[in-house]
Amino acid sequence: MNSCGSMLGLRGLLLPPAGILLLLPFLPPLLLPAAPAPHRASYKPVIVVHGLFDSSYSFRHLLEYINETHPGTVVTVLDLFDGRESLRPLWEQVQGFGEAVAPIMAEAPEGVHLICYSQGGLVCRALLSVMEEHNVDSFISLSSPQMGQYGDTDYLKWLFPTSMRSNLYRICYSPWGQEFSICNYWHDPHHDDLYLNASSFLALINGERDHPNATAWRKNFLRVGRLVLIGGPDDGVITPWQSSFFGFYDANETVLEMEEQPVYLRDSFGLKTLLARGAIVRCPMAGIAHTAWHSNRTLYETCIEPWLS
C-alpha cells in the first residue's frame, strides 16, 4: 500500500494523486482544515465617573451613544458617591473609585478608557497619580476644573449662602472646609499662599506643594496613553472655563493658558512631557452648558468617540 492510501485509511486502494483530489469532497469533515474564524475587533472597556451631585442615571445618553457607535463595548458607569455623597472629601472618593476600577483594569490587559465629568475629572486624575499599575489608554476629562474653581455658582450659593467667591477662602482654606469636596479644588488666585498651605488635594496632585510621593505620582500619571481635554466658553459653571484645559487666573484675574502655568513650566506632574510626546488633545466646544456635556451627540462624535479604540 502506498503512503497516501495508508494516511487516508483507504485499504486496498492504490490511488494516484488525482484520485485523492476527486475523493476530497466525500471525505469526513474532520479530515479537512477548519476555516479560520472571522476576526472581530473588540473595543477597550470604558469607565465613567460622574461629577458633583450626579448619579449614573445622568449618563444614559452617553451610554446609548457608545453602544450605537462601538457595539459590544463594556461600559461601566460607576454608581458611587451619588448626590450629596459627592460632597465627601475627594481623597475618600479616590479610594472608593479606585477600589471599583481596579478589577475592571485587571480584566482588561489591552487597557481601558476613562471618561470623567466635572468634579469626577479631578477624582480620575488623582487615580492616575496614585495607581502604580493603571492601564488607562485615554483619560477623557469632560468639562472638569483641572486647575481649580474660582467662581460663584448655584452649587456654591446653596452650600455657602452667606459667602461670595471673594471671601470663600476663609471657609475652604480651613480644616473644616477641606471636608467638602468643592473646597478641595477651590483655587483663590488672590490668596495663593493660603491655597498652597491649606489645599489637601489640588495642590498635591498638581505638585505645587512638596510631598514624599511627588516623584512616584508623576511617574504613575505619565503611564496614561492620551489625555483628552474637553470644555468650552458657554459652560456656565467651571470658572474660569479654561480650567478645563489647565488654564487659570493670575492674581489680576487674567487667564493664563496651560503653557504659561507654573505647573506646566516646571512639569511638576507631567503635563509638559505629555504635550511633548503628542499625548494631549484639546477639544473646545462652544454652545454647550455644563449639564449638557454628557448628552450632546455632536460633542460625543467630535470629542469623545474618536478616542474610544
Side-chain angles (χ1 to χ4, degrees), residues 52 59 107 117 119 159 161 169 171 206 221 230 241 248 253 260 266 285 291:
L52 188 66
F59 296 87
E107 293 295 321
Y117 168 63
Q119 177 178 279
L159 282 171
Y169 74 92
I171 296 174
N206 277 354
F221 182 71
I230 303 171
W241 70 267
F248 204 72
E253 293 193 31
E260 302 173 278
R266 295 196 305 266
M285 291 284 286
T291 55

Side-chain angles (χ1 to χ4, degrees), residues 92-174:
E92 182 179 327
Q93 297 192 43
V94 169
Q95 180 176 352
F97 281 111
E99 292 171 356
V101 304
I104 301 173
M105 292 180 180
E107 293 295 321
E110 298 300 316
V112 302
H113 300 301
L114 278 182
I115 302 177
C116 309
Y117 168 63
S118 195
Q119 177 178 279
L122 289 166
V123 172
C124 289
R125 182 151 70 90
L127 280 175
L128 295 182
S129 299
V130 302
M131 295 185 76
E132 295 181 358
E133 301 297 328
H134 77 77
N135 59 350
V136 175
D137 185 19
S138 292
F139 166 31
I140 300 173
S141 173
L142 186 57
S143 188
S144 175
Q146 291 292 352
M147 278 298 289
Q149 170 78 3
Y150 184 67
D152 294 319
T153 67
D154 290 339
Y155 297 152
L156 286 176
K157 292 172 184 176
W158 178 76
L159 282 171
F160 309 112
T162 62
S163 299
M164 301 293 287
R165 71 172 188 168
S166 59
N167 60 22
L168 190 58
Y169 74 92
R170 300 178 188 277
I171 296 174
C172 278
Y173 296 158
S174 70

Side-chain angles (χ1 to χ4, degrees), residues 208-229:
E208 294 172 288
R209 191 168 82 218
D210 290 336
H211 59 92
N213 298 314
T215 300
W217 286 7
R218 183 180 182 278
K219 180 181 178 181
N220 295 339
F221 182 71
L222 287 172
R223 290 175 60 90
V224 71
R226 182 183 300 106
L227 172 60
V228 181
L229 303 173

Side-chain angles (χ1 to χ4, degrees), residues 259-299:
E259 288 86 347
E260 302 173 278
Q261 293 294 327
V263 295
Y264 174 86
L265 296 171
R266 295 196 305 266
D267 205 19
S268 58
F269 65 94
L271 275 183
K272 192 172 184 179
T273 297
L274 285 180
L275 189 65
R277 75 181 194 211
I280 294 182
V281 176
R282 284 175 271 204
C283 193
M285 291 284 286
I288 302 179
H290 189 68
T291 55
W293 288 103
H294 42 61
S295 59
N296 187 288
R297 183 63 184 251
T298 301
L299 180 279

Side-chain angles (χ1 to χ4, degrees), residues 216-257:
W217 286 7
R218 183 180 182 278
K219 180 181 178 181
N220 295 339
F221 182 71
L222 287 172
R223 290 175 60 90
V224 71
R226 182 183 300 106
L227 172 60
V228 181
L229 303 173
I230 303 171
D234 302 305
D235 180 90
V237 171
I238 306 303
T239 311
W241 70 267
Q242 293 93 336
S243 182
S244 296
F245 298 94
F246 287 98
F248 204 72
Y249 295 129
D250 64 9
N252 297 316
E253 293 193 31
T254 299
V255 174
L256 302 180
E257 301 298 336

